Amino acid sequence: VAVVLGGALEEGKEALAADANWGPAYNVLGLVYVELKEDALAEQNFQRALQINPFDSDTHHNFGGFLCQRKRTDEGIRHLMAALKNPLYQSPDKSYASAGVCSLNLGDVKGAEDYFQKALRIRPNQPNALLGLADVSYRAGNTQVAKNFLTRFMQVAQSDAETLWLGVRIERKLGDRDAEASYSAQLRRRFPESKEAKALAEGKFD
């Protein structure tokens, strides 16, 4: 990973040496600095990209996602929505799904659900929106609906510790012991060191 990031960093800097006003290079550098946990430099580069092109949807999306991860939720959602203002933007479903995740982290379940549904209207198999709605439905006690969304997610994306843990809890609530055991086994085997595997071992299902 370090080699890849180093290469991307060098490429971005070389591009800017050739043209100091090439916005996409600042966007790429922003992403690299996010991965390197250099938050101030990440923000600086995203902002420079948007100074050059205020309508750059990809930068708005990436900057918005970064701000949401740093718990700057209102600012993050504002940039994600700014990404959608460009009619030529190729990935509006991604920005709606990210706004949903951002809202959920803020505790705005209704807002999150609205964003996830908008993402699915654009792209019915949007992974983050499917997972988000599985989570929202589970929290609301709509366990069968949660299962349906999680099943759709599993068909289009790789599961991680968080999704497998959600599967364990959904199947436990529904009383499907075989499905619960299957999710549990995958979680223990693939992510033995995760906090979800620890919660499973301790029987902390909620």
Side-chain angles (χ1 to χ4, degrees), residues 132-198:
L133 285 168
D135 188 6
V136 165
S137 302
Y138 176 78
R139 291 185 193 201
N142 300 322
T143 318
Q144 185 59 51
V145 175
K147 175 174 177 154
N148 296 344
F149 279 122
L150 188 63
T151 301
R152 285 170 62 189
F153 168 84
M154 295 287 191
Q155 288 165 354
V156 297
Q158 286 290 320
S159 55
D160 59 11
E162 197 178 339
T163 52
L164 292 171
W165 179 230
L166 182 58
V168 169
R169 289 176 296 150
I170 286 171
E171 298 302 351
R172 186 178 176 81
K173 279 258 171 78
L174 290 173
D176 187 334
R177 293 290 173 253
D178 290 342
E180 182 191 339
S182 171
Y183 278 122
S184 298
Q186 287 184 68
L187 178 56
R188 279 194 292 264
R189 186 179 75 250
R190 291 171 54 198
F191 306 100
E193 302 302 319
S194 66
K195 69 179 192 295
E196 289 83 4
K198 187 168 182 285

Side-chain angles (χ1 to χ4, degrees), residues 4-16 22-36 41-50 56 58-60 62-63:
V4 173
L5 289 175
L9 198 58
E10 285 310 309
E11 282 176 28
K13 287 179 176 176
E14 282 171 22
L16 291 173
W22 195 51
Y26 288 105
N27 180 35
V28 169
L29 286 174
L31 288 173
V32 171
Y33 284 124
V34 169
E35 289 299 319
L36 293 172
L41 287 170
E43 184 160 352
Q44 194 178 311
N45 279 276
F46 287 138
Q47 286 178 339
R48 183 74 186 102
L50 291 173
D56 181 351
D58 289 328
T59 300
H60 275 299
N62 293 333
F63 192 20

Side-chain angles (χ1 to χ4, degrees), residues 88-118:
L88 301 177
Y89 182 35
Q90 298 291 305
S91 312
D93 58 291
K94 281 198 323 190
S95 293
Y96 275 127
S98 291
V101 172
C102 211
S103 298
L104 208 51
N105 291 340
L106 194 64
D108 179 8
V109 178
K110 182 73 182 77
E113 190 171 3
D114 288 346
Y115 285 130
F116 291 140
Q117 293 288 5
K118 282 175 179 168

Side-chain angles (χ1 to χ4, degrees), residues 72-86:
R72 292 162 64 183
T73 309
D74 291 343
E75 287 175 87
I77 289 177
R78 195 162 65 244
H79 279 286
L80 291 168
M81 293 301 101
L84 299 164
K85 288 178 182 169
N86 180 352

